[in-house]
């Protein structure tokens, strides 16, 4: 078997796994196919996800189902104002040894898992939120000068409620920028809601079967990075990033008016990497303009810092990204 | 595998070159209407600026086609540009474009490159050549070009005549050359021009020396017959001249001339100056009071006729000049010179 044929088979296996993971998650989460696809895209790109939606849409269930389908270790952190960083990353405890000698021992926190769900992250204090920064970026934590590597793969999914903002601490821009995707979970359709009712009120609850594991996920991540993006496609992604800045010549009027700060370079990385994963999941070895367009909203939406007028006029990130996509022609 | 890869590469290169040729042809056809519109517009401007000259239409049409060809050649896309174009037209999702880039960068992850080339070949095999359509542009340029072309064809189909005999052309040119001097005579070649009468042409500067001889050698000019006046131009008859003079066309009406000439003529007649006598007699003759024969019986018409006799043989009068300005006619010049001589004498 030649190298190209072998690689072609691995790419085919990637597509198969990608589809099977999605199917397993959909056993539990009904009517959210685009959200599931975006979640798996971020997962294979080893990026973190911020989900946003009103309570009861199945955000937690989605992450749980994902971890089960991938046979990964899962942990959940419920954020509250009194949550401390030590509650997240762990702490040193004074333990008595077998011979009666006391010694400090590091007790790992819930962040030491493959898939970590941080519920309502905007209810945690900024001090606790910042505890996630190093973990998300460096995939390690440091306690009392001692560095501890996190599990590989490490996938953090945070949720936040866009309605109840009283008593919350909005995430700082630096932390928002570390999320690969921000996925808005929409309200399900009538048919999907009917199926949810049937599924959750019956005597048998479906359970996702593991179709991949951590090593398979790492393999998928390495394959994604071998997909090619032409210079034109890369330039298109960069132009999209530039157009999110009000001072850019390609920025649409709505961006000039409402965006206080545009996307960082991490936005371009997310666009291209997610475009590669999307292309591979659809059987291509190259990124197309459409791939980039399709991932533009989850990759760039949370990277725009809007001004006061945007809030006052009800302008959303989605409408602004739509304007950017219309103003920048490939 | 190597053979497969080189086969894919050769196939893609050959298809891309074919698509590029077709793209150039499509660019040419797209540019033809605009270039023809420009060249025809130039043709119309040319025809308007040089009213008597008719620029060759075929040359301009050929120029338009050549300009379109030049435009297409200048905008000939690169291989990568062609790949991008075909991708867009055939919806190949940047497969060809990525493959074209990898052709230029051998050694960049060969295995993935081979897969991309194979994938690009697979999708390109299903792409027909007419994905780049060959048709003449139909945009607003094309509509403008066809409108201008219609105008040009109408103008080009008008009858073309010789400028020397074309009555349509002659009249507008004369009217465009400015006011017609009243005492100017258009000399038909057959009516007593010196060369036509067989006499040796005299030096035009020796006008005074030849004045006596002209009355004998060119009697039809010295004493212009009604036929010569009317055939030259009916509006130049004595009645018309008088009417225009009365209307002040030449700047002085009859009363003014009388006021100038009457005291002058009396004074000169008393002093016996022959030149004054001639002028006085001439002015009387102008007014129809008659006069003696010879030089003393000269009328403005006979003076101008004698001047017209000085035109070199074979040369037509200035009225046939195609330029709007045409210069100052010799007859008018003489008339003005005489007028100022009279004014000087009067002072």
């Amino acid at each position: 078997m030649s190298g190209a044929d072998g690689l072609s088979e691995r790419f085919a296996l990637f597509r198969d796994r990608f589809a099977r993971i999605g199917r397993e998650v959909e056993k539990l989460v009904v009517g959210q196919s685009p959200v599931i696809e975006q979640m798996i895209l971020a997962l294979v790109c080893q990026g973190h996800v911020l989900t946003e939606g009103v309570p009861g849409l199945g955000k937690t269930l989605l992450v749980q189902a994902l971890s089960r389908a991938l046979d990964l270790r899962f942990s959940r952190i419920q954020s509250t104002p009194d949550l401390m960083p030590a509650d997240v990353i762990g702490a040193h405890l004074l333990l008595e040894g077998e011979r009666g000698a006391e010694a400090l021992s590091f007790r790992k926190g819930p962040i030491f898992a493959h898939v970590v769900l941080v519920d309502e992250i905007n209810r945690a204090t900024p001090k606790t939120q910042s505890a996630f920064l190093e973990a998300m970026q460096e995939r390690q934590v440091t306690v009392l000068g001692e560095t501890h590597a996190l599990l590989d793969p490490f996938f953090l999914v945070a949720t936040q409620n866009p309605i109840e903002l009283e008593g919350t601490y909005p995430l700082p821009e630096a932390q928002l920028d570390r999320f690969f995707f921000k996925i808005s979970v929409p309200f399900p359709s009538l048919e999907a809601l009917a199926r949810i009712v049937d599924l959750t009120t019956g005597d048998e609850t479906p359970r996702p079967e593991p179709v991949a594991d951590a090593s398979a996920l790492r393999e998928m991540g390495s394959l994604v990075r071998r997909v090619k993006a032409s210079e034109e496609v890369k330039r298109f992604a960069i132009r999209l990033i530039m157009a999110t800045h009000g001072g850019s010549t390609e920025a649409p009027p709505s961006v000039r008016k409402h965006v206080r700060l545009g996307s960082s370079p991490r936005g371009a990385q997310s666009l291209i990497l997610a475009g590669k994963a999307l292309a591979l999941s659809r059987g291509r070895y190259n990124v197309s303009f459409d791939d980039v367009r399709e991932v533009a909203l989850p990759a760039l939406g949370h990277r725009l810092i809007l001004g006061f007028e945007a809030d006052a006029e009800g302008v959303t990130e989605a409408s602004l990204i739509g304007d950017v996509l219309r103003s920048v022609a490939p | 595998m190597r053979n497969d890869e080189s086969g894919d590469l050769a196939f893609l290169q050959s298809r891309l070159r074919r698509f590029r040729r077709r793209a150039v042809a499509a660019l040419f056809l797209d540019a033809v209407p605009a270039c023809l519109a420009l060249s025809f517009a130039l043709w119309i401007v040319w025809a308007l600026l040089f009213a008597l000259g008719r620029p060759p239409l075929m040359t301009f049409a050929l120029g338009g086609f050549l300009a379109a060809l030049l435009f297409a050649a200048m905008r000939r896309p690169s291989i990568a540009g062609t790949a991008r174009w075909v991708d867009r037209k055939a919806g190949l999702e940047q497969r060809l474009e990525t493959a074209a880039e990898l052709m230029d960068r051998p050694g960049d992850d060969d295995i993935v490159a081979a897969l991309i080339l194979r994938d690009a070949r697979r999708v390109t095999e299903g792409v027909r050549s007419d994905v780049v359509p060959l048709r003449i542009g139909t945009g607003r340029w094309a509509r403008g070009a066809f409108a201008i072309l219609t105008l040009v064809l109408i103008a080009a189909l008008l009858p073309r005549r010789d400028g020397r005999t074309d009555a349509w052309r002659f009249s507008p040119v004369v009217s465009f050359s400015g006011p017609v001097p009243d005492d100017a005579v258009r000399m038909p070649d057959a009516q007593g021009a010196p060369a036509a009468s067989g006499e040796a042409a005299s030096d035009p500067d020796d006008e005074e020396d030849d004045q006596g001889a002209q009355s004998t050698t060119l009697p039809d000019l010295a004493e212009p017959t009604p036929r010569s006046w009317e055939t030259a131009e009916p509006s130049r008859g004595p009645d018309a001249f008088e009417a225009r003079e009365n209307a002040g066309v030449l700047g002085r009406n009859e009363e003014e001339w009388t006021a100038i000439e009457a005291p002058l003529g009396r004074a000169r007649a008393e002093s016996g100056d022959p030149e004054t006598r001639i002028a006085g007699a001439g002015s009387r003759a102008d007014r129809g009071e008659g006069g003696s024969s010879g030089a003393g019986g000269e009328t403005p018409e006979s003076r101008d006729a004698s001047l017209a006799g000085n035109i070199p043989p074979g040369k037509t009068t200035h009225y046939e000049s195609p330029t709007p300005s045409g210069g100052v006619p010799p007859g008018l010049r003489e008339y003005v010179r005489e007028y100022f001589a009279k004014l000087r004498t009067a002072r």
Side-chain angles (χ1 to χ4, degrees):
Chain A
M1 185 189 294
S2 70
D5 290 335
L7 187 62
S8 179
E9 283 192 5
R10 288 167 64 196
F11 281 144
L13 190 59
F14 175 97
R15 283 196 299 279
D16 180 53
R17 278 177 178 155
F18 194 97
R20 283 169 63 192
I21 294 169
R23 280 198 297 274
E24 290 301 315
V25 174
E26 281 187 4
K27 284 182 181 174
L28 268 183
V29 182
V30 177
Q32 302 285 5
S33 298
V35 173
I36 294 169
E37 186 187 34
Q38 289 173 0
M39 194 74 86
I40 302 171
L41 283 177
L43 189 64
V44 296
C45 293
Q46 299 175 352
H48 310 293
V49 172
L50 176 65
T51 60
E52 195 175 75
V54 294
L57 293 182
K59 298 187 290 288
T60 308
L61 188 65
L62 170 63
V63 181
Q64 282 178 338
L66 203 56
S67 64
R68 278 183 202 156
L70 289 165
D71 197 19
L72 299 174
R73 187 187 297 177
F74 170 78
S75 70
R76 176 179 174 178
I77 303 169
Q78 181 64 47
S79 299
T80 54
D82 59 352
L83 183 74
M84 299 304 289
D87 300 330
V88 175
I89 59 178
H92 282 92
L93 298 178
L94 190 60
L95 297 176
E96 191 176 340
E98 290 179 355
R99 297 180 183 175
E102 294 173 339
L104 280 174
S105 173
F106 181 68
R107 180 132 188 178
K108 291 179 180 177
I111 203 161
F112 286 87
H114 291 116
V115 178
V116 178
L117 172 65
V118 185
D119 247 344
E120 297 190 275
I121 189 172
N122 54 343
R123 294 206 176 275
T125 59
K127 185 178 180 182
T128 309
Q129 288 173 2
S130 66
F132 294 110
L133 281 176
E134 187 186 6
M136 291 169 71
Q137 184 65 31
E138 309 294 335
R139 297 174 191 276
Q140 64 181 27
V141 290
T142 304
V143 183
L144 294 177
E146 195 177 321
T147 300
H148 303 272
L150 299 178
L151 298 182
D152 183 23
F154 173 68
F155 180 53
L156 188 142
V157 181
T159 69
Q160 66 177 11
N161 181 350
I163 306 298
E164 292 179 55
L165 295 177
E166 196 174 343
T168 61
Y169 303 91
L171 290 173
E173 284 80 6
Q175 194 165 352
L176 277 174
D177 199 33
R178 281 169 169 73
F179 285 104
F180 187 79
F181 272 179
K182 178 184 174 184
I183 302 172
S184 292
V185 183
F187 198 82
S189 65
L190 189 71
E191 295 78 17
L193 205 54
R195 283 184 59 204
I196 290 170
V197 171
D198 287 343
L199 276 175
T200 52
T201 55
D203 58 348
E204 193 171 324
T205 304
R207 185 181 175 83
E209 297 298 322
V211 291
D213 55 11
S215 64
L217 202 58
R218 282 194 291 272
E219 158 85 0
M220 290 173 82
S222 69
L223 285 176
V224 163
R225 290 171 183 272
R226 296 186 73 171
V227 172
K228 301 291 179 193
S230 68
E231 293 300 322
E232 282 295 316
V233 171
K234 286 182 206 164
R235 197 170 299 129
F236 175 61
I238 291 164
R239 284 170 58 213
L240 284 180
I241 298 299
M242 299 304 291
T244 61
H245 293 264
S248 165
T249 53
E250 284 191 294
S254 57
V255 167
R256 290 170 198 234
K257 184 178 178 187
H258 297 299
V259 176
R260 197 153 48 87
L261 189 65
S263 168
S264 70
R266 280 197 185 105
Q269 296 166 4
S270 297
L271 279 178
I272 292 297
L273 201 54
K276 287 182 173 186
L278 189 62
L280 198 51
S281 72
R282 293 178 180 177
R284 271 182 286 111
Y285 313 116
N286 66 285
V287 186
S288 71
F289 293 123
D290 286 340
D291 296 330
V292 175
R293 283 196 197 96
E294 201 165 324
V295 298
L297 178 58
L300 300 183
H302 60 293
R303 292 187 164 92
L304 305 184
I305 309 300
L306 306 188
F308 169 75
E309 283 185 336
D311 279 342
E313 295 178 19
V315 175
T316 62
E317 290 103 344
S319 69
L320 290 170
I321 294 297
D323 290 343
V324 167
L325 287 174
R326 277 187 289 277
S327 73
V328 180
Chain B
M1 177 58 206
R2 277 287 158 200
N3 288 338
D4 290 349
E5 191 180 336
S6 60
D8 294 339
L9 191 66
F11 174 83
L12 285 174
Q13 282 174 336
S14 114
R15 285 305 295 267
L16 282 174
R17 276 197 290 270
R18 193 189 306 169
F19 281 130
R20 181 165 66 171
R21 282 196 296 274
R22 206 171 161 86
V24 171
L27 278 172
F28 166 73
L29 289 176
D30 200 42
V32 159
C35 291
L36 279 181
L38 284 175
S39 65
F40 290 151
L42 276 176
W43 188 91
I44 289 174
V45 170
W46 184 300
L48 288 175
L49 282 179
F50 305 97
L52 292 181
R54 185 77 59 86
L57 182 59
M58 279 309 294
T59 307
F60 277 79
L62 198 63
F65 278 107
L66 282 176
L69 201 62
L70 191 67
F71 173 81
M74 283 172 63
R75 291 193 60 190
R76 189 180 78 138
S78 61
I79 287 289
T82 308
R84 197 153 45 242
W85 196 6
V86 176
D87 270 337
R88 202 166 297 164
K89 293 276 184 184
L92 301 184
E93 298 182 299
Q94 284 66 55
R95 284 182 169 97
L96 261 185
E97 183 185 341
T98 313
E101 271 186 20
L102 291 172
M103 287 178 203
D104 299 335
R105 290 186 312 201
D108 184 10
D109 197 349
D110 280 346
I111 301 175
V112 178
L115 281 177
I116 289 175
L117 290 178
R118 188 193 296 176
D119 187 38
R121 176 179 183 159
R122 181 180 60 78
V123 295
T124 311
E125 279 172 343
V127 177
R128 291 159 53 99
S129 297
D130 59 5
V131 71
V132 185
L134 292 180
R135 58 168 177 256
I136 292 182
T138 54
R140 56 192 173 132
W141 273 110
R143 287 195 292 274
F146 287 120
I148 294 174
L149 179 62
T150 309
L151 284 177
V152 168
L153 284 177
I154 291 169
L157 289 174
L158 288 176
R160 182 182 176 83
R161 298 188 182 183
D162 188 358
R164 290 178 182 276
T165 59
D166 188 356
W168 292 1
R169 180 170 295 174
F170 180 74
S171 300
V173 170
V174 170
S175 65
F176 190 50
S177 341
V180 179
D182 296 276
D183 56 345
V185 176
R186 184 169 186 266
M187 278 281 294
D189 287 344
Q191 285 193 2
S197 65
E199 295 287 331
S202 59
D203 187 354
D205 294 333
D206 300 334
E207 185 183 339
E208 290 181 4
D209 299 341
D210 295 342
Q211 270 195 355
Q214 279 175 3
S215 60
T216 54
T217 55
L218 301 171
D220 55 336
L221 293 178
E223 295 179 2
T225 61
R227 186 178 68 82
S228 65
W229 281 103
E230 287 161 11
T231 51
E233 190 168 332
S235 63
R236 295 179 192 280
D239 295 337
F241 175 80
E242 194 168 324
R244 275 195 295 278
E245 195 171 30
N246 288 337
V249 172
L250 297 179
R252 301 281 178 187
N253 57 25
E254 190 177 2
E255 286 76 21
E256 288 173 309
W257 280 115
T258 308
I260 292 170
E261 289 181 346
L264 182 68
R266 279 197 301 275
R268 296 300 182 196
E270 287 170 4
S271 66
D273 186 348
E275 199 177 319
T276 311
R277 283 201 300 275
I278 291 170
S283 66
R284 283 194 299 277
D286 287 348
R287 293 193 297 274
E289 295 172 2
S292 58
S293 62
E298 195 177 52
T299 64
E301 293 84 356
S302 64
R303 273 203 306 274
D304 294 333
S306 67
L307 291 172
N310 290 331
I311 295 170
K315 184 178 180 183
T316 55
T317 62
H318 60 278
Y319 297 110
E320 290 185 341
S321 167
T323 58
S325 59
V328 180
L332 180 62
R333 191 184 302 126
E334 289 301 321
Y335 192 92
V336 171
R337 190 190 300 164
E338 281 185 18
Y339 170 66
F340 281 107
K342 285 173 188 171
L343 278 181
R344 268 200 309 277
T345 313
R347 285 198 192 107

